[in-house]
Amino acid sequence: MRMRATLGVVTGALALSALAMPAAQADEVEGDTTISNVVVNGGKAAVVGSTAKKTITVSFTVKDSSGVDWAQAILYHGANIDSSDSGAVANSSDGRATCTVVSATTSNCKSSFDLEPGANLINSVAGGWKVWAIAAGNDADYVQKDNAKSFNVQRLSKLTVNASPEPVKKGKTITVTGKLTRANWDRGTYNGYSTQPVKLQFRKKSATTYTTVKTIKTSSTGDLKTTVTASVDGYFRYSFAGTSTTPAVSAAGDFVDVQ
């Protein structure tokens, strides 16, 4: 069995620590050990704000005919773990997962990981991440997966709206402004998200759902501005569908009284 040191996180890059494990060049399997049912953050993208650390959980099932000895998962960004440019090791003393025995052959394993802006999160690593996982049976069989699960780590988005004037006479022009921003992990701030398509939507006062009026793009600073004709009382909002690096978001509706 080829062995190497495990990977730890140091200021956003993967670095070596002490726990030995099989080399990570590609998937490997020895015997009948399996890893399945990998779930990251409850199946949702990990959305992180500009400064606050976010802790997420990875769970998976390990099976081996001799019983499960140990398991470990590592999160990383990059084509593969050997060329990764950021990542996270589990919050445990040895980096290993906590495994609970389900039967003589099966254990459910779980680890928690910290994602921290300015440390292992910088703007360039937003988007697709992967789970590297390894597990061993009591008979020394093992399985290693370079990409046991893919998931997204995203920069938290915010969206505002303001429709004016309020009130307004029927048939007159309403100007609807707003701004789309997202977390800047490099600076610890929120900055405008430029040239993104955003829907202007309207809901009548008596209705429960919004209808899209038009789609416009944000400016170079994330600002939004368009006009519509006043017709009936109701709520205007902007709605952004999201990207791989930034989650979807809708502004709270702004009510306009049409007289």
Side-chain angles (χ1 to χ4, degrees), residues 112-197:
S112 63
F113 301 83
D114 290 337
L115 300 175
E116 186 172 1
N120 58 347
L121 292 186
I122 55 177
N123 293 341
S124 62
V125 303
W129 280 50
K130 299 172 184 175
V131 179
W132 184 93
I134 185 170
N138 291 321
D139 55 2
D141 286 351
Y142 73 92
V143 62
Q144 171 202 296
K145 291 191 173 185
D146 189 61
N147 183 11
K149 189 72 174 181
S150 297
F151 66 103
N152 278 339
V153 179
Q154 297 179 317
R155 298 162 61 178
L156 178 64
S157 55
K158 297 182 179 183
L159 187 55
T160 62
V161 66
N162 181 63
S164 63
E166 303 171 54
V168 63
K169 289 185 178 181
K170 185 176 182 179
K172 295 296 185 179
T173 297
I174 297 172
T175 300
V176 187
T177 58
K179 191 178 185 71
L180 175 64
T181 60
R182 60 175 178 168
N184 186 324
W185 294 332
D186 298 346
R187 298 179 180 178
T189 59
Y190 284 86
N191 296 108
Y193 196 6
S194 66
T195 62
Q196 296 302 308

Side-chain angles (χ1 to χ4, degrees), residues 22-46:
Q25 284 84 356
D27 289 359
E28 296 181 17
V29 61
E30 180 71 34
D32 65 351
T33 312
T34 62
I35 293 172
S36 62
N37 303 323
V38 182
V39 178
V40 182
N41 196 40
K44 301 178 181 178

